């Protein structure tokens, strides 16, 4: 997975090799398509494998929350790099305030920075993190639960659940819908925040870097509260609090209309709420999996369902050209409301099911 990301990501954010100004869009589409497919495969393989290590490294529910929160803290490096890169370019006198073809070198450099950082830390991860090997088809036995002297032969190890068994588990669908709703909120809000800032609010392009950085910092700070809050009110109520923060952001965007510096306050709400629901939903996924870490692919892979969400919000776009038309000002405004507040209501319904029928 890491190799697929490293070899594909730089090509996505670089100009099409061999393309000219008169090159048709379908030719550029065919050029970029395999790189995007390879990247999406590699990203999914890397994330799911990485997530599956959490239940193996720790056994306590609260430690799972803490480790998941620490995992999310590493998301700040790309935001910081984007802020520094875009901010430095905007300060140059020959740069415009809005994105255009002149910004291709910025995103090229940014993609290379991200790839280099990712390669270094991936190498550290693969050299420093060791898996616990155990016979296939059996559950790993915790060391503290194995007595020194056996009075009678131990029972044969309980077989792992196979993928067909998961499809018969109601809890699988509960967690899958909750996690997919969470991923839709996080992924779609991160996707459309740039268009909302530049097209709806008509803010300078430096906000594309500074607003995600503010979201990361607020999520970073809220991550430190995950463990004590989970101990105090539990998983379900912690997730509910995060959803309320997301709804507060959606309400702010709906009522405010045009925003200037106050967008930073809304970004704090979105960052804190997104971090809270993402960490909590991942912890619920770890609870569902237990020691069946081999099959974390099934629940954790449900965030691939966010792809139809991306398509659904892009199809009704009023602009069919590269530039934003006047109609897209209100379009991206309501998209931000829908992908946060609308999906948050669906997440609350899924959470109610989990509260009535616990995992």
């Amino acid at each position: 997975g890491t190799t697929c990301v490293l070899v594909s990501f730089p090509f996505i954010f670089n100009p099409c090799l061999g393309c000219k100004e008169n090159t048709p869009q379908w030719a550029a589409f065919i050029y970029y398509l395999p790189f995007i497919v390879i990247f999406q495969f590699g990203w999914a393989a890397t994330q799911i494998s990485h997530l599956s290590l959490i239940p193996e490294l720790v056994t306590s529910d609260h430690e799972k929350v803490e480790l998941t929160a620490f995992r999310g803290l590493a998301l700040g490096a790309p935001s910081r790099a984007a802020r520094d890169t875009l901010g430095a370019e905007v300060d140059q006198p020959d740069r415009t305030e809005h994105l255009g073809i002149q910004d291709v070198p910025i995103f090229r450099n940014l993609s290379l920075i991200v790839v280099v950082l990712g390669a270094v830390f991936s190498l550290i991860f693969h050299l420093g993190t060791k898996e616990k090997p155990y016979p296939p088809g059996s559950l790993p036995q915790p060391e503290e639960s194995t007595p020194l002297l056996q009075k009678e032969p131990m029972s044969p190890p309980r077989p792992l659940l196979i993928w067909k068994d998961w499809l018969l588990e109601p809890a699988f669908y509960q967690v899958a819908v909750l996690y997919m709703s969470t991923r839709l909120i996080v992924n779609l809000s991160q996707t459309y925040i740039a268009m909302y800032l530049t097209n709806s609010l008509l803010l300078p392009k430096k906000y594309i870097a500074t607003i995600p950085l503010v979201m990361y910092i607020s999520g970073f700070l809220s991550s430190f509260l995950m463990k004590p809050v989970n101990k105090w009110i539990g998983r379900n109520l912690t997730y509910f609090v995060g959803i309320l923060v997301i709804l507060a952001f959606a309400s702010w965007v709906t009522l405010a209309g045009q925003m200037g510096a106050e967008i930073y306050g809304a970004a704090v709400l979105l960052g804190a709420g997104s971090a809270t629901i993402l960490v909590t939903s991942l912890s619920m996924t770890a609870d569902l999996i237990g020691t069946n870490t081999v099959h974390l692919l099934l629940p954790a892979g449900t965030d691939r369902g966010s792809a139809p969400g991306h398509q659904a919000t892009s199809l009704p776009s009023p602009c069919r050209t590269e530039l934003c038309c006047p109609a897209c000002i209100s379009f991206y405004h309501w998209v931000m409301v829908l992908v946060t507040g609308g999906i948050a209501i669906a997440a609350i319904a899924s959470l109610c099911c989990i509260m009535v029928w616990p995992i």
Side-chain angles (χ1 to χ4, degrees):
T2 302
T3 303
C4 290
V5 171
L6 292 179
V7 300
S8 62
F9 194 76
F11 290 96
I12 298 175
F13 288 95
N14 273 280
C16 172
L17 298 178
C19 294
K20 301 179 180 179
E21 293 184 359
N22 58 350
T23 301
Q25 283 192 343
W26 62 265
F29 172 79
I30 295 176
Y31 171 85
Y32 285 111
L33 184 62
F35 295 116
I36 295 175
V37 171
I38 294 172
F39 168 76
Q40 287 292 338
F41 168 80
W43 179 88
T46 304
Q47 173 178 261
I48 294 169
S49 301
H50 192 257
L51 283 173
S52 67
L53 286 174
I54 293 179
E56 291 194 5
L57 295 175
V58 295
T59 56
S60 169
D61 291 341
H62 300 302
E63 288 178 344
K64 292 177 183 177
V65 175
E66 188 175 26
L67 197 58
T68 305
F70 289 154
R71 181 181 181 271
L73 298 182
L75 296 175
S79 296
R80 178 60 185 269
R83 190 202 68 168
D84 293 342
T85 305
L86 282 174
E89 294 290 341
V90 167
D91 293 338
Q92 295 183 11
D94 59 338
R95 292 291 180 178
T96 62
E97 284 292 314
H98 299 284
L99 290 176
I101 190 66
Q102 72 278 358
D103 297 307
V104 169
I106 300 178
F107 289 94
R108 178 198 62 206
N109 298 337
L110 184 57
S111 66
L112 294 177
I113 292 172
V114 171
V115 166
V116 171
L117 282 174
V120 171
F121 285 101
S122 295
L123 180 63
I124 296 173
F125 164 75
H126 283 290
L127 295 178
T129 306
K130 303 299 181 182
E131 294 184 76
K132 297 178 181 178
Y134 53 89
S138 63
L139 288 174
Q141 299 295 328
E143 295 178 2
E144 61 270 15
S145 65
T146 305
L148 295 177
L149 298 176
Q150 299 291 342
K151 295 184 179 180
E152 58 184 17
M154 295 182 63
S155 58
R158 179 165 57 90
L160 286 167
L161 291 173
I162 62 174
W163 67 271
K164 295 180 180 179
D165 298 328
W166 284 110
L167 299 179
L168 302 177
E169 287 289 335
F172 166 74
Y173 297 98
Q174 291 175 298
V175 174
V177 172
L178 184 75
Y179 184 57
M180 185 171 64
S181 301
T182 302
R183 273 297 179 183
L184 280 170
I185 294 173
V186 175
N187 291 359
L188 290 176
S189 63
Q190 291 177 348
T191 299
Y192 286 102
I193 189 67
M195 278 84 81
Y196 173 65
L197 294 172
T198 58
N199 295 336
S200 292
L201 299 182
L202 303 178
L203 295 173
K205 62 185 178 183
K206 66 179 181 180
Y207 282 85
I208 299 176
T210 56
I211 292 300
L213 182 63
V214 170
M215 292 168 56
Y216 164 73
I217 293 175
S218 62
F220 175 86
L221 297 177
S222 64
S223 297
F224 289 105
L225 302 176
M226 290 294 101
K227 187 176 181 179
V229 171
N230 268 267
K231 285 184 177 181
W232 182 35
I233 62 177
R235 295 255 206 281
N236 294 338
L237 288 181
T238 301
Y239 188 92
F240 183 69
V241 170
I243 281 293
L244 289 181
V245 177
I246 295 292
L247 289 174
F249 166 82
S251 302
W252 192 342
V253 172
T254 303
L255 300 175
Q258 288 296 323
M259 285 190 285
E262 58 266 30
I263 187 62
Y264 287 106
V268 170
L269 293 179
L270 182 59
S274 299
T276 301
I277 62 175
L278 183 58
V279 169
T280 308
S281 63
L282 286 172
S283 302
M284 290 180 177
T285 303
D287 292 340
L288 173 67
I289 295 299
T291 53
N292 293 276
T293 54
V294 176
H295 296 115
L296 187 70
L297 166 66
L298 285 172
T302 54
D303 72 298
R304 298 292 86 201
S306 63
H310 282 273
Q311 188 66 15
T313 51
S314 62
L315 283 177
S317 176
C319 303
R320 296 301 178 185
T321 61
E322 295 180 0
L323 300 177
C324 179
C325 60
C328 75
I329 295 178
S330 61
F331 172 76
Y332 289 112
H333 172 266
W334 290 109
V335 164
M336 283 302 299
V337 175
L338 175 64
V339 302
T340 53
I343 302 175
I345 296 175
I348 290 176
S350 177
L351 180 64
C352 291
C353 293
I354 292 179
M355 296 178 71
V356 175
W357 297 284
I359 301 174

